[in-house]
Amino acid sequence: MDIELLQERARIMRNTRRFFDERNYLELDTPLLSPDLIPETCLEVFATTYCPPANSVRNTARELYLIPSPEIWMKKIIAKKKVSVYQICKCFRNCESIGKTHSPEFTMLEYYTMDAGYLDSLSITEALFSALLSDNNLKQFQNTTELAELSPPFLRLTMEDAFRRFAGFSLVEAIENGVLEEHAHTLGIYPPVGTSDTDLYNLIFIHAVEPNLPRNKPVALLDYPAIVPCLAELNYSTDKAALTRQRWELYLCGLEIANCYSEERDAAQVKKYFLDEGELKNKNALVKHNIDTDYWKIFDSFPRCSGVALGMDRLIMALTGRKTIDAVLCRN
């Protein structure tokens, strides 16, 4: 990485912090190691061992985990302090490729806004992009047309719209009628017999929808199907409330860069998620991890809020016109 790009990376970080500081978000600096993690079957983690001093009589060796997201710590603070918060930190995900768009160690921006839903967070993210794109120094890396393609407003598509447009069928109706497998076959996708609806949805999305998303404008995919387990609230604003959740993901140039929820606040639903996902995680994961079975209790008094997790390395890659994430990592 040349010195100009190192300087621009640092400038983007400063401008990001300034954006949230000016809006009275509290910056956090939570641990990178945790004795337990939120179970997420879509990713693998890193485990390490704390070894106490040889002469220690109190401490015993124990397993710790590098966080895949600061969420587990940030939500504990949100539950107690009930303030808008943000954090820029290193995160770690095992079994990731190294190079073009992935790295097992990466920089995450995570921010939670009090008394806000996922659509509020989308507007805040658009404002963040506008603030970052106002930096005239970016013009030494990309021309005006390329930068304009990253500018708000984002193109907003519901997942239902995206499936109709790019996969050729109604996702809502396919889930209701149990015919996702038939649509997969029509698209030339032949999963093993007995593949779950969740996995069928993911296969169709990856092969038919994601590759066809517009690349000349940031795209926010809204209202993910409820069959995909996550800690986002159900969407009660439509007739199909039971089928969607208040979630969006943001794509830049066809690459997923951010994930957002209206955060689930029902303690019973969080407990169920931890039980269900925890069982699957520790049955199928390459690296199993401890799960705090009492974590759901912080949601007895959890405030209404919305959280966004945004990959800073991918954002910097897009803002500076680089083609690989490796080009913007500070290791060369």
Side-chain angles (χ1 to χ4, degrees), residues 109-309:
L109 163 66
E110 198 150 324
Y111 46 102
Y112 292 81
T113 308
M114 294 302 102
D115 196 27
Y118 71 137
L119 296 181
D120 299 308
S121 283
L122 191 52
S123 296
I124 292 166
T125 306
E126 288 179 323
L128 171 63
F129 271 55
S130 293
L132 295 178
L133 285 163
S134 67
D135 176 11
N136 286 325
N137 288 282
L138 289 173
K139 292 179 181 178
Q140 67 178 299
F141 300 99
Q142 297 202 71
N143 61 44
T144 302
T145 300
E146 291 170 327
L147 290 172
E149 292 178 350
L150 302 175
S151 300
F154 302 153
L155 174 62
R156 302 186 182 197
L157 286 176
T158 66
M159 192 61 77
E160 170 71 5
D161 291 336
F163 266 71
R164 285 182 180 272
R165 183 179 300 187
F166 305 119
F169 68 91
S170 165
L171 178 60
V172 169
E173 292 176 4
I175 293 173
E176 285 182 324
N177 298 323
V179 293
L180 276 174
E181 187 171 18
E182 294 177 21
H183 287 293
H185 292 170
T186 299
L187 293 163
I189 303 167
Y190 298 95
V193 175
T195 299
S196 69
D197 276 356
T198 301
D199 289 339
L200 285 167
Y201 151 78
N202 281 320
L203 283 170
I204 295 169
F205 177 74
I206 290 169
H207 289 285
V209 178
E210 192 175 54
N212 292 304
L213 293 174
R215 293 172 176 266
N216 62 345
K217 196 74 174 172
V219 179
L221 287 180
L222 300 154
D223 301 331
Y224 274 56
I227 60 171
V228 180
C230 68
L231 291 172
E233 288 187 0
L234 285 170
N235 192 345
Y236 292 106
S237 63
T238 72
D239 292 338
K240 302 296 183 182
L243 295 179
T244 62
R245 290 187 181 275
Q246 295 182 20
R247 173 186 180 184
W248 55 257
E249 286 192 335
L250 181 64
Y251 282 76
L252 290 186
C253 305
L255 183 64
E256 186 265 319
I257 195 172
N259 187 26
C260 171
Y261 303 157
S262 293
E263 298 295 336
E264 179 63 76
R265 293 175 293 146
D266 186 326
Q269 290 299 316
V270 176
K271 182 178 182 180
K272 183 179 185 303
Y273 174 91
F274 267 64
L275 290 173
D276 293 345
E277 287 295 289
E279 182 180 356
L280 290 173
K281 183 71 175 180
N282 285 324
K283 177 182 177 182
N284 301 319
L286 295 175
V287 181
K288 297 175 173 56
H289 63 74
N290 293 330
I291 297 168
D292 182 359
T293 55
D294 288 331
Y295 191 78
W296 60 272
K297 293 180 180 178
I298 71 171
F299 292 87
D300 282 335
S301 60
F302 203 75
R304 177 177 180 262
C305 66
S306 175
V308 178

